[in-house]
Amino acid sequence: MNLIWMPGADTQATSPRPRTRSFVARGGSSCAFEVGEGDRIRIVDPEGRQQAFLYVQGYTFGTGVPGRGAVTKTGEALTRTLPGGQAVAAELLRRISRSEFVEHRLFEADSEAGAVFVATADAASACVLVIPGEAMAPDGQNPPTDLRVEIEPAASSEGLPPPPLAPPLLDLRVKAATAEAYTVKAGQYIQIVDVEGRQCADFLAFDAVALADGQEFGLDATTTHTLMGSTAPKPGLLSKYFDARMVPLVEIIQDTVGRHDTFMLACSAKYYEDMGYPGHSNCTDNFNAVLNPHGVQPKKGWPAINFFYNTVAGPDDLITMDEPWSRPGDYVLLRALTDLVCATSSCADDIDPANGWIPTDIHVRIYDAESAFSKGMSHRMTPDAEPRLTRESGFHSRTAALTRKMEDYRGFWVPTCFNAAGPLEEYWACRERAIIMDLSVLRKFEVIGPDAEDLMQLAMTRNVRKLAVNQIVYTAMCNPHGGMIDDGTLFRLGQNNFRWICGDEYSGVWLRKLAEENKMKVWVKSSTDQLHNVAVQGPKSRTILASLLVSPPQEPTVDELKWFRFTVGRIEGVPVLVSRTGYTGELGYEVWCHPGQATAVWDSIVKAGAPHGMMPMGLAALDMLRIEAGLVFAGFDFCDQTDPFEAGIGFTVPKDKPDHYVGSEAVARRRDNPHRRMVGLDVSGNEHVGHGDPVYDGRTQVGVVTSATKSPILGKTIALARLDVSAATIGRPVEIGKLDGHQKRLAATIVAFPHFDPQKTRVRTELPAPGSTEVATPMTSLDAVATAGIPA
């Protein structure tokens, strides 16, 4: 194998070339793969500072490559490093276990972000890539991070499906413009793979027992829409497809695409005849042919589930279509809920964009019912990123035992509410006692290096140079045109050490891009998988955590911890970082720990909180709390076209910041010439108001509702809305449009926001000084601009 070391940045295209097989190797684990003679291997360290070892079957390096040597390992030893959940073909495992491997060190401890290792295989070989890394301490900044592996085959790889998820019971190729029928037993799994991308796969399934009795009960989209309340079921609670008897036949387990069609018929002879192509191959005729031996009666047009088909039901009542979203290797994974007769087609449509104009193969695999597959949707940070299925946090085993009402929120399973109570009781527990909530979905980035402060000063609207060690600031991060990329909290762990906590995975990409463009010596390392967190919020939160946290003498205790500060310590022996932050408008804290110790932390807090009436809380209650407190939410109250002033967080943009930051000129221009303003609305009546509802002044729309809720503590419906500045006057009456915006109106009045506790007295509550006879009092004298913990 000829190998080339490229220590510099990844200067090649960010996305692999067509037909290149690529995957992400997770930090702190290992993976196995095979290469053929002449294959080109490219391993990229996107974030930098991640050492790795490549073990190649029976091969030693040539000269001139750092880390070359004669260190060898047996395949038997290497197989023990492979994570248990990895699907490795049995034959590959046998090859590895019987061979000897030569160790090659790829990257150094201080390698730059984007460092690349390139190799060309002289012969077919098995490889094992080991990415070492210890569990990161909550106050540490050394997370093991992912590497990207790209294998460009010497021979054409067109038509090769991705590796199986488990040993398949059936490996079935559905050639382009054909269909295949097959049977599946209850509990078995069906994987439908788009081999080359942008190819639709129509799917039919029938109750096999009923079919044997001469009755046809197949998938019924109308019944499914009604029972699931969605255009297409997705992994989670509402994941099943039903027949006309309302009997579930299959459920979605995994979906790497998320865009499918359940409205249109499979293509038919009539469709092509109407378009001027008589005699064109079509899915309906193909289905009729392969299902006839199973006793299924033919149809003129089959009402199939059209996986990967990209249809859009628009506001103009038209159903339009475009090329599929699916990429090579994308798939859906179904579980059969009864014995089935199934059929899958590779759609024959080559006269429009439905299959990207070129029909290609579909691949079907059946897996045993005993196979273990997690549920999830795929999420991509950027269009060219590798998909990642919905994750479970370190606290998931505890929350999942208390509720099945989980939702996929930004790539994590997060409880909507809990079975024992519900959103309203959870809300009142937070207002009156205490709650615990899993918020591990927040993205975390470690920013380290001599230029760390310069990078954050450039990227953030706040004056980061004023931020002290152990202090936190809430800030915005903007595009050059002034729109917000994200908001979040910035922790300062040391002179050249920061932690950025936000909602969007892209923040890390953006920070690395800024560092590279400005030639800064700084690393931005993702620590989301190394640092999970629960929010402990409510009037009793301080008492609960004070009974648990043991902090070093030089660190503040929970009782001493000020707003937007953090401390470190241990909860019953488990290392944690505790910050006085939250998203509820109540006194509260967040407890950060390694996911491997998350259950111990959860159990300790829940036990300590039980005498105080603590309850677990989900997203539904959190939404009520944060709207009352006027806390904005990405995707609802702001987007990348919204500046901080329009989002209602203008206090994060100090006028006197001495240094230029990204978007500073545009933000200043928008500040001096505002077009829209965030306001509060008090809504008359009890009818539902939601995100996107138009706001009118007479006939004219003057804005839009961004968030709304029925406030339990205020006893009325309240909303946040972004209005034209000419209409955004406190006390002015407006109307919220329902139906078409004009047929029905709800009266509302413009008010200041936050609606509840605008002076933040509850969240700022401090304990009296030691020895004082005073009761705990709020810090009402603080200026509102210091909401984020440091002067503007």
Side-chain angles (χ1 to χ4, degrees), residues 376-659:
M377 288 288 300
S378 272
H379 296 264
R380 284 180 167 91
M381 177 176 54
T382 57
D384 60 340
E386 291 298 308
R388 187 168 190 184
L389 288 172
T390 315
R391 288 172 263 181
E392 297 177 355
S393 81
F395 304 100
H396 183 80
S397 63
R398 296 300 187 261
T399 57
L402 302 174
T403 183
R404 291 179 299 278
K405 296 174 182 175
M406 294 276 183
E407 56 188 272
D408 181 337
Y409 174 59
R410 289 185 176 268
F412 277 79
W413 289 118
V414 182
T416 304
C417 61
F418 288 85
N419 296 339
L424 194 58
E425 289 186 61
E426 294 165 16
Y427 165 92
W428 281 114
C430 186
R431 285 280 182 242
E432 296 175 344
R433 303 184 304 279
I435 60 89
I436 182 171
M437 182 177 184
D438 181 4
L439 286 177
S440 303
V441 63
L442 293 171
R443 288 346 193 228
K444 298 98 177 174
F445 297 95
E446 310 302 322
V447 184
I448 54 178
D451 295 333
E453 182 182 85
D454 289 347
L455 174 62
M456 302 318 286
Q457 184 77 343
L458 176 66
M460 305 297 166
T461 57
R462 288 280 197 170
N463 188 352
V464 175
R465 301 198 197 283
K466 289 186 177 181
L467 191 64
V469 174
N470 277 45
Q471 198 170 17
I472 308 165
V473 64
Y474 171 68
T475 182
M477 183 165 67
C478 292
N479 281 315
H481 62 69
M484 289 174 60
I485 294 173
D486 209 347
D487 67 338
T489 48
L490 182 64
F491 291 52
R492 188 162 202 162
L493 282 74
Q495 182 63 34
N496 299 312
N497 304 72
F498 296 86
R499 176 174 292 156
W500 173 234
I501 311 289
C502 58
D504 195 334
E505 194 90 28
Y506 180 71
S507 291
V509 177
W510 175 253
L511 289 171
R512 283 188 287 273
K513 179 175 180 289
L514 288 180
E516 181 182 357
E517 290 175 348
N518 290 275
K519 295 180 171 51
M520 294 178 176
K521 189 172 183 179
V522 58
W523 289 268
V524 180
K525 303 272 283 181
S526 173
S527 57
T528 303
D529 291 336
Q530 292 289 312
L531 196 63
H532 289 185
N533 57 295
V534 285
V536 181
Q537 305 278 300
K540 301 292 186 181
S541 59
R542 178 188 283 127
T543 301
I544 293 167
L545 287 179
S547 70
L548 290 172
L549 183 72
V550 178
S551 52
Q554 70 274 18
E555 295 286 341
T557 65
V558 169
D559 286 341
E560 297 167 338
L561 194 60
K562 301 297 183 182
W563 195 27
F564 277 84
R565 297 275 182 165
F566 68 86
T567 188
V568 297
R570 290 177 179 266
I571 290 180
E572 297 189 352
V574 176
V576 296
L577 183 149
V578 176
S579 60
R580 190 168 160 190
T581 49
Y583 193 52
T584 63
E586 288 290 342
L587 172 68
Y589 302 82
E590 289 175 279
V591 181
W592 314 76
C593 66
H594 188 271
Q597 298 174 304
T599 55
V601 171
W602 176 280
D603 292 344
S604 297
I605 295 173
V606 168
K607 182 179 178 182
H612 302 280
M614 171 182 273
M615 297 180 68
M617 189 177 81
L619 287 174
L622 180 66
D623 204 43
M624 291 187 270
L625 292 158
R626 68 98 188 164
I627 294 172
E628 288 178 347
L631 303 174
V632 297
F633 183 36
F636 281 68
D637 303 304
F638 72 85
C639 67
D640 59 7
Q641 300 173 57
T642 313
D643 65 54
F645 298 99
E646 294 173 334
I649 58 168
F651 60 84
T652 65
V653 186
K655 266 190 171 183
D656 60 349
K657 181 173 178 177
D659 301 316

Side-chain angles (χ1 to χ4, degrees), residues 183 199 202 208 258 262 305 394 398 438 448 499 656 725 735:
T183 58
Q199 173 62 44
D202 300 340
T262 58
I305 304 304
R398 296 300 187 261
D438 181 4
I448 54 178
R499 176 174 292 156
D656 60 349
V725 292
E735 293 178 309

Side-chain angles (χ1 to χ4, degrees), residues 159-288:
L160 290 179
L165 304 177
L169 302 176
L170 173 69
D171 236 331
L172 178 65
R173 191 58 158 221
V174 183
K175 292 293 186 180
T178 70
E180 296 286 349
Y182 47 94
T183 58
V184 183
K185 295 294 185 182
Q188 291 180 342
Y189 295 89
I190 310 162
Q191 185 190 22
I192 301 174
V193 184
D194 183 355
V195 179
E196 298 187 40
R198 292 181 173 32
Q199 173 62 44
C200 301
D202 300 340
F203 176 69
L204 300 174
F206 302 88
D207 184 328
V209 174
L211 197 58
D213 291 337
Q215 301 179 81
E216 280 186 25
F217 291 106
L219 298 173
D220 187 277
T222 302
T223 304
T224 299
H225 294 156
T226 304
L227 297 180
M228 295 290 94
S230 63
T231 57
K234 290 180 173 56
L237 191 60
L238 304 175
S239 60
K240 296 180 177 65
Y241 280 94
F242 295 79
D243 65 19
R245 302 168 299 175
M246 300 189 181
V247 174
L249 299 185
V250 296
E251 76 169 313
I252 303 288
I253 302 299
Q254 295 179 358
D255 183 351
T256 69
V257 180
R259 176 62 69 89
H260 312 286
D261 171 65
T262 58
F263 293 98
M264 315 294 276
L265 295 174
C267 65
S268 63
K270 185 178 187 314
Y271 171 70
Y272 293 107
E273 290 166 4
D274 290 348
M275 297 295 290
Y277 296 90
H280 196 288
S281 176
N282 63 87
C283 291
T284 291
D285 287 347
N286 291 338
F287 278 143
N288 288 337

Side-chain angles (χ1 to χ4, degrees), residues 12 15-21 40 150 152:
Q12 299 196 23
S15 56
R17 286 199 264 172
R19 312 306 175 196
T20 295
R21 179 161 66 94
R40 184 174 182 270
E150 300 169 4
E152 184 182 331

